[in-house]
Coordinates of all heavy atoms in Angstrom, one line a residue:
Q798 N 0.9 -1.2 0.0 CA 0.0 0.0 0.0 C 0.9 1.2 0.0 O 1.9 1.3 0.7 CB -0.9 0.0 1.2 CG -1.9 1.1 1.3 CD -2.8 1.0 2.5 OE1 -2.4 0.5 3.5 NE2 -4.0 1.5 2.4
V799 N 0.5 2.2 -0.8 CA 1.3 3.5 -0.9 C 0.4 4.6 -0.4 O -0.8 4.7 -0.9 CB 1.8 3.7 -2.3 CG1 2.5 5.1 -2.4 CG2 2.7 2.6 -2.7
R800 N 0.9 5.5 0.5 CA 0.1 6.6 1.0 C 0.9 7.9 0.8 O 2.2 7.8 1.0 CB -0.3 6.4 2.4 CG -1.2 5.3 2.7 CD -1.4 5.2 4.2 NE -2.3 4.0 4.5 CZ -2.5 3.5 5.7 NH1 -1.9 4.1 6.7 NH2 -3.2 2.5 5.9
L801 N 0.3 9.0 0.5 CA 0.9 10.2 0.5 C 0.2 11.2 1.4 O -1.1 11.3 1.3 CB 1.0 10.7 -1.0 CG 1.8 12.0 -1.3 CD1 3.3 11.8 -1.0 CD2 1.6 12.4 -2.7
S802 N 0.9 11.9 2.3 CA 0.2 12.8 3.1 C 1.2 14.0 3.4 O 2.4 13.9 3.1 CB -0.2 12.2 4.5 OG 0.9 11.7 5.2
G803 N 0.7 15.1 3.9 CA 1.6 16.2 4.2 C 0.9 17.3 4.9 O -0.3 17.3 5.2
D804 N 1.7 18.3 5.3 CA 1.3 19.5 5.9 C 2.1 20.6 5.3 O 2.8 20.5 4.3 CB 1.3 19.4 7.4 CG 2.7 19.2 7.9 OD1 3.7 19.5 7.3 OD2 2.8 18.6 9.0
T805 N 2.1 21.8 5.9 CA 2.9 22.9 5.4 C 4.4 22.7 5.4 O 5.1 23.4 4.7 CB 2.5 24.2 6.1 OG1 2.8 24.1 7.5 CG2 1.0 24.5 5.8
D806 N 4.9 21.8 6.3 CA 6.3 21.6 6.4 C 6.9 20.3 5.8 O 8.0 20.4 5.3 CB 6.7 21.6 7.9 CG 6.3 22.9 8.6 OD1 6.6 24.0 8.0 OD2 5.8 22.9 9.7
W807 N 6.1 19.2 5.8 CA 6.6 18.0 5.3 C 5.6 17.2 4.4 O 4.4 17.3 4.7 CB 7.0 17.0 6.5 CG 8.2 17.6 7.3 CD1 8.1 18.3 8.4 CD2 9.5 17.4 7.0 NE1 9.3 18.6 8.8 CE2 10.3 18.1 8.0 CE3 10.2 16.8 6.0 CZ2 11.6 18.1 8.0 CZ3 11.6 16.8 6.0 CH2 12.3 17.5 7.0
V808 N 6.1 16.5 3.5 CA 5.3 15.6 2.7 C 5.8 14.2 2.9 O 7.0 13.9 2.8 CB 5.4 15.9 1.2 CG1 4.6 14.9 0.3 CG2 4.9 17.3 0.9
D809 N 5.0 13.3 3.4 CA 5.4 11.9 3.7 C 4.9 10.9 2.7 O 3.7 10.9 2.3 CB 4.8 11.5 5.1 CG 5.3 12.3 6.2 OD1 6.5 12.8 6.1 OD2 4.7 12.3 7.3
L810 N 5.8 10.1 2.2 CA 5.5 9.0 1.3 C 5.7 7.8 2.1 O 6.8 7.5 2.6 CB 6.5 9.0 0.1 CG 6.4 7.8 -0.9 CD1 5.0 7.7 -1.5 CD2 7.5 7.9 -1.9
Q811 N 4.6 7.0 2.3 CA 4.6 5.8 3.0 C 4.4 4.6 2.1 O 3.5 4.6 1.3 CB 3.5 5.8 4.1 CG 3.6 6.8 5.1 CD 2.4 6.7 6.2 OE1 1.9 5.6 6.4 NE2 2.1 7.8 6.8
V812 N 5.2 3.6 2.3 CA 5.1 2.3 1.6 C 4.9 1.3 2.7 O 5.8 1.1 3.5 CB 6.3 2.0 0.7 CG1 6.1 0.7 0.0 CG2 6.5 3.1 -0.3
I813 N 3.8 0.6 2.7 CA 3.4 -0.4 3.7 C 3.4 -1.8 3.1 O 2.7 -2.0 2.1 CB 2.1 0.0 4.4 CG1 2.2 1.4 5.0 CG2 1.8 -1.1 5.4 CD1 0.8 1.9 5.4
D814 N 4.2 -2.6 3.6 CA 4.4 -4.0 3.2 C 3.6 -4.9 4.1 O 3.7 -4.8 5.3 CB 5.9 -4.4 3.2 CG 6.2 -5.8 3.0 OD1 5.3 -6.6 2.6 OD2 7.3 -6.2 3.1
Y815 N 2.7 -5.8 3.5 CA 1.9 -6.7 4.3 C 2.5 -8.1 4.4 O 1.8 -9.0 4.6 CB 0.5 -6.8 3.6 CG -0.3 -5.5 3.8 CD1 -0.3 -4.5 2.9 CD2 -1.1 -5.3 5.0 CE1 -1.0 -3.3 3.0 CE2 -1.8 -4.1 5.1 CZ -1.8 -3.2 4.2 OH -2.5 -2.0 4.3
G816 N 3.8 -8.2 4.2 CA 4.5 -9.4 4.3 C 4.5 -10.0 5.7 O 3.8 -9.5 6.6
P817 N 5.3 -11.0 6.0 CA 5.4 -11.7 7.3 C 6.0 -10.8 8.4 O 5.8 -11.1 9.6 CB 6.2 -12.9 7.0 CG 7.1 -12.5 5.9 CD 6.2 -11.6 5.0
G818 N 6.6 -9.7 8.0 CA 7.2 -8.8 9.0 C 8.6 -9.3 9.5 O 9.1 -10.3 9.0
L819 N 9.1 -8.5 10.4 CA 10.4 -8.8 11.0 C 10.3 -8.9 12.5 O 9.5 -8.2 13.1 CB 11.4 -7.7 10.6 CG 11.6 -7.4 9.1 CD1 12.4 -6.1 9.0 CD2 12.3 -8.5 8.4
S820 N 11.2 -9.7 13.1 CA 11.2 -9.7 14.5 C 11.8 -8.4 15.0 O 12.5 -7.7 14.2 CB 12.1 -10.9 15.0 OG 13.5 -10.6 14.7
P821 N 11.6 -8.0 16.2 CA 12.2 -6.8 16.7 C 13.8 -6.7 16.5 O 14.3 -5.7 16.1 CB 11.9 -6.7 18.2 CG 10.6 -7.5 18.3 CD 10.8 -8.6 17.2
H822 N 14.4 -7.9 16.6 CA 15.9 -7.9 16.4 C 16.2 -7.7 14.9 O 17.1 -6.9 14.6 CB 16.4 -9.3 16.9 CG 17.9 -9.5 16.6 ND1 18.8 -8.8 17.3 CD2 18.5 -10.2 15.7 CE1 20.0 -9.1 16.8 NE2 19.9 -10.0 15.8
Q823 N 15.5 -8.3 14.0 CA 15.7 -8.1 12.6 C 15.4 -6.7 12.2 O 16.2 -6.1 11.4 CB 14.9 -9.1 11.8 CG 15.3 -10.5 11.8 CD 14.3 -11.4 11.1 OE1 13.1 -11.3 11.2 NE2 14.8 -12.3 10.3
H824 N 14.4 -6.1 12.7 CA 14.0 -4.7 12.4 C 15.1 -3.8 12.9 O 15.6 -2.9 12.1 CB 12.7 -4.4 13.1 CG 12.2 -3.0 12.7 ND1 12.4 -1.9 13.5 CD2 11.4 -2.6 11.7 CE1 11.9 -0.9 12.9 NE2 11.2 -1.3 11.8
S825 N 15.6 -4.0 14.1 CA 16.7 -3.2 14.6 C 18.0 -3.3 13.7 O 18.6 -2.3 13.4 CB 17.1 -3.6 16.0 OG 18.2 -2.9 16.5
D826 N 18.3 -4.6 13.3 CA 19.5 -4.8 12.4 C 19.3 -4.1 11.1 O 20.3 -3.5 10.6 CB 19.7 -6.3 12.2 CG 20.2 -7.0 13.4 OD1 20.7 -6.3 14.4 OD2 20.2 -8.3 13.4
L827 N 18.1 -4.2 10.5 CA 17.8 -3.6 9.2 C 18.0 -2.0 9.3 O 18.6 -1.4 8.5 CB 16.5 -3.9 8.7 CG 16.1 -3.4 7.4 CD1 17.1 -3.9 6.3 CD2 14.7 -3.9 7.0
V828 N 17.4 -1.4 10.4 CA 17.6 0.0 10.5 C 19.0 0.4 10.7 O 19.5 1.3 10.0 CB 16.8 0.5 11.8 CG1 17.1 1.9 12.1 CG2 15.3 0.3 11.5
Q829 N 19.8 -0.3 11.5 CA 21.2 0.0 11.7 C 22.0 -0.2 10.4 O 22.9 0.6 10.0 CB 21.8 -0.9 12.8 CG 21.3 -0.5 14.1 CD 21.6 0.9 14.5 OE1 22.7 1.4 14.2 NE2 20.7 1.6 15.1
S830 N 21.7 -1.3 9.6 CA 22.4 -1.5 8.3 C 22.1 -0.4 7.4 O 23.0 0.1 6.7 CB 21.9 -2.8 7.7 OG 22.3 -3.9 8.5
V831 N 20.9 0.1 7.3 CA 20.5 1.2 6.4 C 21.3 2.4 6.8 O 21.9 3.1 6.0 CB 19.0 1.4 6.3 CG1 18.7 2.7 5.6 CG2 18.3 0.2 5.6
R832 N 21.3 2.7 8.1 CA 22.0 3.9 8.6 C 23.5 3.9 8.3 O 24.1 4.9 8.0 CB 21.8 4.1 10.1 CG 20.4 4.6 10.4 CD 20.3 4.8 11.9 NE 18.9 5.2 12.2 CZ 18.3 5.0 13.4 NH1 19.0 4.4 14.4 NH2 17.1 5.3 13.6
K833 N 24.1 2.7 8.4 CA 25.5 2.6 8.2 C 25.8 2.3 6.7 O 27.0 2.2 6.3 CB 26.0 1.5 9.0 CG 26.0 1.8 10.5 CD 26.5 0.6 11.3 CE 26.3 1.0 12.8 NZ 26.7 -0.2 13.6
G834 N 24.8 2.2 5.8 CA 25.0 2.0 4.4 C 25.5 0.6 4.1 O 26.1 0.3 3.1
R835 N 25.2 -0.4 5.0 CA 25.6 -1.8 4.8 C 24.3 -2.6 4.4 O 23.2 -2.2 4.7 CB 26.2 -2.4 6.0 CG 27.5 -1.8 6.4 CD 28.1 -2.6 7.6 NE 27.1 -3.1 8.5 CZ 27.2 -2.9 9.8 NH1 28.2 -2.2 10.3 NH2 26.3 -3.4 10.6
L836 N 24.6 -3.7 3.8 CA 23.4 -4.6 3.5 C 23.1 -5.4 4.7 O 24.0 -5.9 5.4 CB 23.8 -5.5 2.3 CG 24.1 -4.9 1.0 CD1 24.4 -6.0 0.0 CD2 23.0 -4.0 0.5
A837 N 21.8 -5.7 4.9 CA 21.4 -6.6 6.0 C 21.4 -8.0 5.4 O 20.4 -8.5 5.0 CB 20.0 -6.2 6.5
R838 N 22.6 -8.6 5.4 CA 22.8 -9.9 4.8 C 21.9 -11.0 5.4 O 21.5 -11.9 4.7 CB 24.2 -10.3 4.8 CG 25.1 -9.3 4.0 CD 26.5 -9.8 4.0 NE 27.4 -8.7 3.7 CZ 27.6 -8.2 2.5 NH1 26.9 -8.7 1.5 NH2 28.5 -7.3 2.3
E839 N 21.7 -11.0 6.7 CA 21.0 -12.1 7.3 C 19.4 -11.9 7.1 O 18.7 -12.9 7.4 CB 21.3 -12.1 8.8 CG 20.8 -10.9 9.6 CD 21.7 -9.7 9.5 OE1 22.7 -9.7 8.8 OE2 21.3 -8.7 10.1
I840 N 19.0 -10.9 6.6 CA 17.5 -10.7 6.3 C 17.3 -10.8 4.8 O 17.7 -10.0 4.0 CB 17.0 -9.3 6.8 CG1 17.3 -9.2 8.3 CG2 15.6 -9.1 6.5 CD1 17.0 -7.8 8.8
R841 N 16.7 -11.9 4.4 CA 16.5 -12.2 3.0 C 15.7 -11.1 2.3 O 14.6 -10.7 2.8 CB 15.8 -13.5 2.8 CG 15.7 -13.9 1.4 CD 15.1 -15.3 1.3 NE 14.9 -15.6 -0.1 CZ 13.7 -16.0 -0.6 NH1 12.7 -16.1 0.2 NH2 13.6 -16.2 -1.9
G842 N 16.3 -10.5 1.3 CA 15.6 -9.4 0.6 C 15.7 -8.1 1.2 O 15.1 -7.1 0.8
G843 N 16.4 -7.9 2.3 CA 16.5 -6.7 3.0 C 17.8 -6.0 2.8 O 18.8 -6.6 2.7
G844 N 17.7 -4.7 2.7 CA 19.0 -3.9 2.8 C 19.3 -3.1 1.6 O 19.2 -1.9 1.7
I845 N 19.5 -3.6 0.4 CA 20.0 -2.8 -0.7 C 19.0 -1.8 -1.2 O 19.3 -0.7 -1.4 CB 20.6 -3.7 -1.8 CG1 21.3 -2.8 -2.8 CG2 19.5 -4.5 -2.5 CD1 22.2 -3.5 -3.8
G846 N 17.7 -2.3 -1.3 CA 16.7 -1.3 -1.8 C 16.5 -0.2 -0.8 O 16.4 1.0 -1.2
L847 N 16.4 -0.5 0.5 CA 16.2 0.5 1.5 C 17.4 1.4 1.6 O 17.3 2.6 1.9 CB 15.8 -0.1 2.9 CG 14.5 -0.7 2.9 CD1 14.3 -1.5 4.2 CD2 13.4 0.3 2.8
A848 N 18.6 0.8 1.5 CA 19.8 1.6 1.5 C 19.8 2.6 0.4 O 20.2 3.8 0.5 CB 21.1 0.7 1.5
M849 N 19.4 2.2 -0.8 CA 19.3 3.1 -2.0 C 18.3 4.2 -1.7 O 18.5 5.4 -2.0 CB 19.0 2.3 -3.2 CG 20.1 1.5 -3.7 SD 19.9 0.4 -5.2 CE 18.4 1.0 -5.9
V850 N 17.1 3.8 -1.1 CA 16.1 4.8 -0.8 C 16.6 5.8 0.2 O 16.4 7.0 0.0 CB 14.8 4.1 -0.3 CG1 13.8 5.1 0.3 CG2 14.1 3.3 -1.3
D851 N 17.3 5.4 1.2 CA 17.9 6.3 2.2 C 18.9 7.2 1.5 O 18.9 8.4 1.8 CB 18.6 5.5 3.3 CG 19.0 6.3 4.4 OD1 18.2 7.1 5.0 OD2 20.2 6.2 4.8
M852 N 19.7 6.7 0.6 CA 20.7 7.6 0.0 C 20.0 8.6 -0.9 O 20.4 9.8 -0.9 CB 21.6 6.7 -0.9 CG 22.7 7.5 -1.6 SD 23.9 6.4 -2.5 CE 22.8 5.8 -3.8
I853 N 19.0 8.2 -1.7 CA 18.3 9.1 -2.5 C 17.5 10.2 -1.7 O 17.5 11.4 -2.0 CB 17.3 8.4 -3.5 CG1 18.1 7.6 -4.5 CG2 16.4 9.3 -4.2 CD1 17.3 6.5 -5.2
A854 N 16.9 9.7 -0.6 CA 16.2 10.6 0.3 C 17.1 11.7 0.8 O 16.8 12.9 0.8 CB 15.6 9.9 1.4
K855 N 18.3 11.3 1.2 CA 19.3 12.3 1.8 C 19.7 13.3 0.7 O 19.8 14.5 1.0 CB 20.5 11.6 2.3 CG 20.2 10.9 3.6 CD 21.4 10.1 4.1 CE 21.0 9.4 5.4 NZ 22.1 8.5 5.8
K856 N 19.8 12.9 -0.5 CA 20.1 13.8 -1.6 C 19.0 14.9 -1.8 O 19.3 16.0 -2.4 CB 20.4 13.1 -2.9 CG 21.5 12.1 -2.9 CD 22.8 12.8 -3.3 CE 23.9 11.8 -3.3 NZ 25.2 12.3 -3.4
H857 N 17.8 14.6 -1.4 CA 16.7 15.5 -1.5 C 16.3 16.2 -0.2 O 15.1 16.6 0.0 CB 15.5 14.8 -2.1 CG 15.7 14.4 -3.6 ND1 15.6 15.2 -4.6 CD2 16.1 13.2 -4.1 CE1 15.9 14.6 -5.7 NE2 16.2 13.4 -5.4
N858 N 17.2 16.2 0.8 CA 17.0 16.7 2.1 C 15.8 16.1 2.8 O 15.1 16.7 3.6 CB 16.8 18.2 2.0 CG 18.0 18.9 1.5 OD1 19.1 18.6 1.9 ND2 17.8 19.9 0.6
A859 N 15.6 14.8 2.5 CA 14.5 14.0 3.1 C 15.1 13.0 4.0 O 16.4 12.8 4.1 CB 13.7 13.3 2.0
H860 N 14.3 12.3 4.8 CA 14.8 11.2 5.6 C 13.9 10.0 5.6 O 12.7 10.1 5.4 CB 15.0 11.7 7.1 CG 13.8 12.3 7.7 ND1 13.5 13.6 7.6 CD2 12.9 11.8 8.5 CE1 12.4 13.9 8.3 NE2 12.0 12.7 8.8
L861 N 14.5 8.9 5.8 CA 13.8 7.6 5.8 C 13.6 7.1 7.3 O 14.5 7.1 8.1 CB 14.6 6.5 5.1 CG 14.1 5.1 5.1 CD1 12.8 4.9 4.4 CD2 15.2 4.2 4.5
V862 N 12.4 6.7 7.6 CA 12.0 6.1 8.9 C 11.4 4.7 8.6 O 10.5 4.6 7.7 CB 11.1 7.0 9.6 CG1 10.6 6.3 10.9 CG2 11.7 8.3 9.9
L863 N 11.9 3.7 9.3 CA 11.3 2.4 9.2 C 10.5 2.1 10.5 O 10.9 2.4 11.6 CB 12.4 1.3 9.0 CG 13.3 1.4 7.8 CD1 14.3 0.4 7.8 CD2 12.4 1.4 6.5
D864 N 9.3 1.5 10.3 CA 8.4 1.3 11.4 C 7.6 0.0 11.2 O 7.7 -0.6 10.1 CB 7.5 2.5 11.5 CG 6.8 2.6 12.9 OD1 7.1 1.8 13.8 OD2 6.0 3.5 13.1
I865 N 6.9 -0.4 12.2 CA 6.1 -1.6 12.1 C 4.6 -1.1 12.0 O 4.2 -0.2 12.7 CB 6.2 -2.5 13.3 CG1 7.7 -3.0 13.4 CG2 5.2 -3.6 13.3 CD1 8.0 -3.6 14.7
P866 N 3.9 -1.5 11.0 CA 2.5 -1.1 10.8 C 1.7 -1.3 12.1 O 1.9 -2.3 12.8 CB 2.0 -1.9 9.7 CG 3.2 -2.3 8.9 CD 4.2 -2.5 9.9
D867 N 0.7 -0.4 12.3 CA -0.1 -0.5 13.6 C -1.0 -1.7 13.7 O -1.1 -2.3 14.7 CB -1.0 0.8 13.6 CG -0.2 2.0 13.7 OD1 1.0 2.0 14.3 OD2 -0.7 3.1 13.2
D868 N -1.6 -2.1 12.6 CA -2.6 -3.1 12.6 C -2.3 -4.5 12.0 O -3.1 -5.3 11.8 CB -3.9 -2.6 12.0 CG -3.7 -2.1 10.6 OD1 -2.5 -2.0 10.2 OD2 -4.7 -1.8 9.9
H869 N -1.0 -4.7 11.6 CA -0.7 -6.0 11.0 C 0.9 -6.2 11.0 O 1.6 -5.2 11.3 CB -1.2 -6.1 9.6 CG -0.8 -4.9 8.7 ND1 0.4 -4.9 8.1 CD2 -1.5 -3.8 8.4 CE1 0.5 -3.7 7.4 NE2 -0.6 -3.1 7.6
A870 N 1.3 -7.3 10.5 CA 2.7 -7.6 10.4 C 3.2 -6.9 9.1 O 2.4 -6.4 8.3 CB 2.9 -9.1 10.2
G871 N 4.4 -6.8 8.9 CA 5.0 -6.2 7.7 C 6.0 -5.1 8.1 O 6.5 -5.1 9.2
L872 N 6.2 -4.2 7.2 CA 7.1 -3.1 7.4 C 6.5 -1.9 6.8 O 6.0 -1.9 5.7 CB 8.5 -3.4 6.8 CG 9.6 -2.4 6.9 CD1 10.1 -2.4 8.4 CD2 10.8 -2.8 6.0
K873 N 6.7 -0.7 7.5 CA 6.3 0.5 7.0 C 7.5 1.4 6.8 O 8.3 1.6 7.7 CB 5.3 1.2 7.9 CG 4.8 2.6 7.5 CD 3.7 3.1 8.3 CE 3.7 3.1 9.7 NZ 2.6 3.8 10.4
A874 N 7.7 1.8 5.5 CA 8.9 2.7 5.2 C 8.3 4.1 4.9 O 7.4 4.2 4.1 CB 9.7 2.2 4.0
I875 N 8.8 5.1 5.6 CA 8.2 6.5 5.4 C 9.4 7.4 5.0 O 10.4 7.4 5.7 CB 7.6 7.0 6.7 CG1 6.6 6.1 7.2 CG2 7.1 8.5 6.5 CD1 6.2 6.4 8.7
V876 N 9.2 8.0 3.8 CA 10.2 9.0 3.4 C 9.6 10.4 3.6 O 8.5 10.6 2.9 CB 10.7 8.8 1.9 CG1 11.7 9.8 1.6 CG2 11.2 7.4 1.8
S877 N 10.2 11.2 4.4 CA 9.6 12.6 4.6 C 10.4 13.6 3.9 O 11.6 13.7 4.1 CB 9.6 12.9 6.1 OG 8.8 12.0 6.8
F878 N 9.8 14.3 3.0 CA 10.4 15.3 2.2 C 10.0 16.7 2.7 O 8.8 16.9 3.1 CB 9.9 15.3 0.7 CG 10.3 14.0 0.0 CD1 9.5 12.9 0.0 CD2 11.5 13.9 -0.7 CE1 9.8 11.7 -0.7 CE2 11.8 12.8 -1.4 CZ 11.0 11.7 -1.4
P879 N 10.9 17.6 2.7 CA 10.5 19.0 3.1 C 9.6 19.6 2.1 O 9.8 19.4 0.9 CB 11.9 19.8 3.2 CG 12.8 19.0 2.4 CD 12.3 17.5 2.4
A880 N 8.6 20.3 2.5 CA 7.6 20.9 1.6 C 8.1 22.3 1.3 O 8.2 23.2 2.2 CB 6.2 21.0 2.3
Y881 N 8.5 22.5 0.1 CA 9.1 23.8 -0.3 C 7.9 24.6 -0.8 O 7.0 24.2 -1.5 CB 10.1 23.6 -1.5 CG 11.3 22.9 -1.1 CD1 11.5 21.6 -1.5 CD2 12.2 23.5 -0.2 CE1 12.7 20.9 -1.1 CE2 13.4 22.9 0.2 CZ 13.6 21.6 -0.3 OH 14.7 20.9 0.1
K882 N 7.9 25.9 -0.4 CA 6.9 26.8 -0.8 C 7.4 27.5 -2.1 O 8.5 28.0 -2.2 CB 6.6 27.8 0.3 CG 6.1 27.1 1.5 CD 5.9 28.1 2.7 CE 5.3 27.4 3.8 NZ 6.2 27.2 5.0
V883 N 6.5 27.5 -3.1 CA 6.8 28.1 -4.4 C 6.1 29.5 -4.5 O 5.0 29.7 -4.1 CB 6.3 27.2 -5.5 CG1 6.7 27.8 -6.8 CG2 7.0 25.8 -5.4

């Protein structure tokens, strides 16, 4: 699921994955790997895509936050972009 929301300061792009989710330990490892620019090798399919998203977000003065969806398993990735006034 993809959601877009915002206010006068930030625009948030949320991508919500309804997969099996990650254990708290795996989630923490994935977040640390993305922050350090390393691949999360022990998490199948995790790491390189999110690391690229994090790198691109930083180039646009945005930031990536990884979270657990409120009502189900999976992963929620939020990229918050500054809202520029034209």
Side-chain angles (χ1 to χ4, degrees):
Q798 183 177 31
V799 177
R800 296 179 183 167
L801 189 62
S802 62
D804 58 28
T805 58
D806 297 319
W807 293 95
V808 175
D809 293 339
L810 172 64
Q811 295 183 27
V812 177
I813 302 169
D814 173 5
Y815 290 92
L819 302 171
S820 71
H822 176 71
Q823 288 175 315
H824 187 266
S825 176
D826 287 349
L827 183 58
V828 170
Q829 290 301 318
S830 294
V831 169
R832 284 186 184 150
K833 294 177 182 176
R835 296 188 323 232
L836 299 181
R838 296 183 199 287
E839 67 281 358
I840 301 172
R841 186 173 175 236
I845 191 165
L847 290 172
M849 289 177 13
V850 168
D851 188 52
M852 184 177 66
I853 293 167
K855 287 177 182 173
K856 297 272 185 193
H857 293 279
N858 299 316
H860 57 272
L861 171 66
V862 175
L863 300 177
D864 199 1
I865 298 169
D867 298 330
D868 55 349
H869 55 79
L872 183 69
K873 177 168 48 173
I875 305 165
V876 181
S877 295
F878 296 90
Y881 295 107
K882 297 176 177 111
V883 181

